[in-house]
Amino acid sequence: MKTINPKDISTVELQGFLQGSVGPRPIALASTVDADGNPNLSPFSFFNLFSANPPILVFSPSRRVRDNTCKHTLFNVQATMQVVINVVNYDMVQQTSLSSTEYKDGVNEFVKAGFTMIESEEVRPFRVKESPVQFECIVQEVIGLGTEGGAGNLVICEVVKMHIDEAILNEKGGIDQHKIDLVSRMGGNWYSRSNMGMFEVEKPLTTLGLGVDIIPQEVIDSLVFSGNDLGILGNVEHLPTTEEIQAFLLANPAAKEIVASGDVEKKFKQAKKYLEENNVPLAWNMILAK
């Protein structure tokens, strides 16, 4: 058996072992606002339920290992002592991952991830409409666990109002665990889907995804693409050039014929097929081809 003294290895190595062995971990998609009311959205897998009376949730925005900086979520929570915790199901996992992109201060992750902001009733931060359960919370305390990279900050939240999508309820009015279809975090790029097993989502930590807001509106309105599809399309760093699109059409006569037909729905369905084959560049070429 491999035996490790945490003090004898790097924080990066230790974090890998911890996250790889403690899971699956539920995901808190935390919505906050700064002192001026500017929204922020970010997911955290250091999260769980700790009490029912009073109803207490705890999540931890850790200091970044690589440079010992903190996420905007922590500063916003400390400034307002309010947060909305939105649970994450499979239908929104790609958009949730995209919202973890480290955009500059002031960038609205709701817009970048393609989520819908709806007003809360008891707190200032917005709720995520696409989330099946949303918890409006007052922050009771923030406990810093250290000052070095990797140190957590326990945000102790009391739930003051819950919002539950009736579509996930069973005939008795309780939450149906099949219908809610929750996802959780494992180690590395791996997630776990309730009753379905593990799947992989590329983490946008070394890239800066352009965001769902760069996707043409006709694509979003087409209903061909799911929220996960939009999250994948938004997690690219650049769009294909005119030259790349022309080269794609020359190399793919069937795709060229679809584009020439003017059948937009057929074109989008072919792009979705490329996404299902995990070929995002071809999907983008097809979408933008004229």
Side-chain angles (χ1 to χ4, degrees):
M1 175 172 283
K2 186 181 183 73
T3 301
I4 298 172
N5 184 330
K7 296 180 180 179
D8 292 340
I9 61 175
S10 70
T11 303
V12 172
E13 291 177 292
L14 179 59
Q15 182 175 359
F17 284 123
L18 289 171
Q19 293 181 336
S21 56
V22 180
R25 302 183 304 280
I27 303 169
L29 184 54
S31 168
T32 58
V33 295
D34 64 17
D36 297 321
N38 298 307
N40 181 268
L41 188 68
S42 189
F44 299 90
S45 67
F46 289 2
F47 161 64
N48 219 312
L49 168 68
F50 285 85
S51 173
N53 186 21
I56 298 294
L57 305 174
V58 178
F59 74 100
S60 177
S62 299
R63 304 179 75 92
R64 296 183 180 94
V65 173
R66 66 180 181 278
D67 59 7
N68 198 20
T69 57
C70 297
K71 278 183 166 283
H72 300 135
T73 299
L74 177 62
F75 300 129
N76 291 351
V77 161
Q78 291 172 325
T80 67
M81 300 300 281
Q82 296 181 350
V83 63
V84 174
I85 294 177
N86 306 274
V87 305
V88 179
N89 67 2
Y90 183 75
D91 288 343
M92 56 188 291
V93 67
Q94 292 284 354
Q95 290 170 275
T96 298
S97 178
L98 181 57
S99 73
S100 70
T101 300
E102 295 181 3
Y103 295 111
K104 294 181 180 179
D105 191 16
V107 173
N108 188 341
E109 288 84 3
F110 277 91
V111 174
K112 286 296 181 183
F115 283 130
T116 306
M117 293 192 303
I118 51 177
E119 290 188 0
S120 298
E121 298 179 9
E122 304 293 336
V123 298
R124 293 174 62 197
F126 297 92
R127 294 180 280 140
V128 176
K129 182 179 180 180
E130 291 77 7
S131 171
V133 181
Q134 307 137 18
F135 300 99
E136 296 185 31
C137 301
I138 298 297
V139 176
Q140 300 292 349
E141 188 176 3
V142 179
I143 302 175
L145 301 179
T147 59
E148 300 300 319
N153 295 277
L154 301 185
V155 182
I156 301 174
C157 313
E158 181 173 355
V159 179
V160 294
K161 187 156 286 187
M162 295 176 59
H163 305 270
I164 303 173
D165 186 347
E166 292 184 11
I168 67 168
L169 300 179
N170 59 29
E171 64 278 0
K172 296 181 179 180
I175 294 177
D176 186 309
Q177 292 302 297
H178 292 276
K179 291 179 180 179
I180 193 172
D181 201 10
L182 294 171
V183 295
S184 51
R185 288 288 280 117
M186 305 291 285
N189 289 346
W190 291 97
Y191 287 68
S192 179
R193 182 180 181 184
S194 299
N195 304 316
M196 295 292 288
M198 294 197 303
F199 63 98
E200 196 170 10
V201 176
E202 182 179 353
K203 292 190 295 185
L205 295 183
T206 58
T207 62
L208 190 65
L210 293 176
V212 171
D213 54 325
I214 55 90
I215 300 174
Q217 192 62 42
E218 64 174 346
V219 175
I220 298 173
D221 294 341
S222 70
L223 302 181
V224 171
F225 301 94
S226 67
N228 281 333
D229 293 332
L230 298 179
I232 293 170
L233 289 170
N235 192 29
V236 297
E237 291 189 278
H238 59 81
L239 297 179
T241 64
T242 301
E243 292 74 19
E244 288 171 334
I245 295 171
Q246 292 304 313
F248 157 74
L249 292 175
L250 286 173
N252 296 272
K256 184 176 182 180
E257 183 176 343
I258 292 173
V259 173
S261 73
D263 190 331
V264 176
E265 183 176 0
K266 191 173 182 180
K267 184 177 79 161
F268 289 166
K269 286 183 177 179
Q270 180 59 43
K272 183 177 177 68
K273 183 178 179 181
Y274 289 138
L275 284 179
E276 291 170 348
E277 296 170 352
N278 200 31
N279 199 324
V280 182
L282 288 191
W284 265 114
N285 275 296
M286 193 68 191
I287 287 170
L288 297 179
K290 295 180 180 180

